[in-house]
Amino acid sequence: MYESGEDYLESILMIHNEKGSVHSVDVAKKLGVSKPSVSRAMGILKDGGYLDFEGTELHLTSKGMEKANDIYSRHRLLTDFLAKITGVPEDQAEENACRVEHDIDADVVAGITKWMEKNK
């Protein structure tokens, strides 16, 4: 999956957790993209089995929920890790985590997880 698809899934999960329901306009606002861009991405995610529609409401499938949770978990882990080891503010750590979360290897994530557990 491309980075943009991961960003859409993560955003849908975050909006759902905040508001309880998700619409395309919410995703467009959160990501700062156009409504046509969201429509195209939603079609791709639906075709991939990650998303379903109920009227205008977006719903992650179990496959989509699993992927979105994985992405969001990496995001939170990296944000916490970067803030802890560098001492930078949370928003700066989060901004950097967003850039790293899509390209990091699973074994590096496992190592960071292990380090964070040891250094609570």
Side-chain angles (χ1 to χ4, degrees), residues 69-94:
N69 277 318
D70 179 57
I71 297 160
Y72 187 65
S73 292
R74 274 186 284 153
H75 176 94
R76 291 299 330 142
L77 174 70
L78 290 167
T79 299
D80 294 345
F81 177 71
L82 293 172
K84 184 173 186 93
I85 66 167
T86 65
V88 299
E90 174 100 5
D91 60 335
Q92 185 179 1
E94 186 166 11

Side-chain angles (χ1 to χ4, degrees), residues 33-54:
V33 297
S34 68
K35 291 178 194 173
S37 293
V38 173
S39 293
R40 182 176 183 282
M42 296 307 103
I44 292 168
L45 292 172
K46 183 177 183 353
D47 291 346
Y50 295 99
L51 186 70
D52 280 325
F53 305 102
E54 187 176 308

Side-chain angles (χ1 to χ4, degrees), residues 10-113:
E10 183 181 27
S11 294
I12 292 166
L13 176 65
M14 293 170 72
I15 294 165
H16 180 266
N17 289 344
E18 292 169 15
K19 298 175 79 174
S21 64
V22 184
H23 300 274
S24 293
V25 67
D26 302 321
V27 178
K29 286 179 188 175
K30 182 156 191 74
L31 291 175
V33 297
S34 68
K35 291 178 194 173
S37 293
V38 173
S39 293
R40 182 176 183 282
M42 296 307 103
I44 292 168
L45 292 172
K46 183 177 183 353
D47 291 346
Y50 295 99
L51 186 70
D52 280 325
F53 305 102
E54 187 176 308
T56 61
E57 197 169 328
L58 309 173
H59 298 279
L60 293 170
T61 62
S62 57
K63 178 180 176 180
M65 185 64 78
E66 183 178 331
K67 183 71 171 175
N69 277 318
D70 179 57
I71 297 160
Y72 187 65
S73 292
R74 274 186 284 153
H75 176 94
R76 291 299 330 142
L77 174 70
L78 290 167
T79 299
D80 294 345
F81 177 71
L82 293 172
K84 184 173 186 93
I85 66 167
T86 65
V88 299
E90 174 100 5
D91 60 335
Q92 185 179 1
E94 186 166 11
E95 185 179 307
N96 281 269
C98 284
R99 292 194 298 264
V100 174
E101 69 189 19
H102 305 288
D103 296 321
I104 195 166
D105 295 330
D107 55 340
V108 175
V109 171
I112 292 171
T113 300

